Amino acid sequence: MKLLVIEDEQSLRENITDYLNADGNICESCGNLEDALRKLTDYHYDCVLLDIGLPDGDGFTVLEYLKAQGKMEAVLIISARNSLDDKLNGLNVGADDYLTKPFHWPN
């Protein structure tokens, strides 16, 4: 499976990427909106793990871009934002699920 992790917190981004790569996936990552949109333009991914709080914009822009381009990547939002409005917005714009931080990896 080819995955893209879009997360601005470097240590979390590296931990997620390392975990997914160790499980046999091809996992790329980036830490801002600009790099995310460039990668999504140039490559196809099976799944995107998306933080909506990015330093140069809102992760919801990624969802809108995927929808506008007719791309079919599955999207899992991982965010510290846990308001009902954010969750509904993410799911309505096209995310497949919404996971709030902090969360725990299996051992």
Side-chain angles (χ1 to χ4, degrees), residues 9-30:
E9 186 182 325
Q10 183 178 353
S11 62
L12 179 58
R13 181 174 66 242
E14 290 172 355
N15 285 337
I16 293 171
T17 302
D18 291 346
Y19 180 84
L20 294 170
N21 279 328
D23 199 34
N25 298 292
I26 299 168
C27 190
E28 298 179 356
S29 67
C30 57

Side-chain angles (χ1 to χ4, degrees), residues 3-97:
L3 304 135
L4 176 61
V5 177
I6 306 168
E7 167 62 53
D8 65 328
E9 186 182 325
Q10 183 178 353
S11 62
L12 179 58
R13 181 174 66 242
E14 290 172 355
N15 285 337
I16 293 171
T17 302
D18 291 346
Y19 180 84
L20 294 170
N21 279 328
D23 199 34
N25 298 292
I26 299 168
C27 190
E28 298 179 356
S29 67
C30 57
N32 61 56
L33 181 60
E34 180 181 353
D35 291 343
L37 293 176
R38 185 175 17 247
K39 284 183 175 286
L40 290 166
T41 298
D42 293 342
Y43 304 104
H44 167 78
Y45 298 92
D46 297 303
C47 184
V48 176
L49 283 74
L50 173 64
D51 184 6
I52 55 175
L54 299 172
D56 59 342
D58 197 304
F60 292 125
T61 303
V62 170
L63 290 170
E64 293 163 357
Y65 171 80
L66 291 171
K67 189 175 191 176
Q69 297 300 312
K71 291 183 154 269
M72 302 302 294
E73 283 87 342
V75 178
L76 171 62
I77 292 176
I78 50 172
S79 180
R81 292 180 175 174
N82 63 0
S83 76
L84 181 58
D85 286 341
D86 283 329
K87 291 176 183 178
L88 291 174
N89 186 33
L91 295 170
N92 287 335
V93 176
D96 294 284
D97 207 345

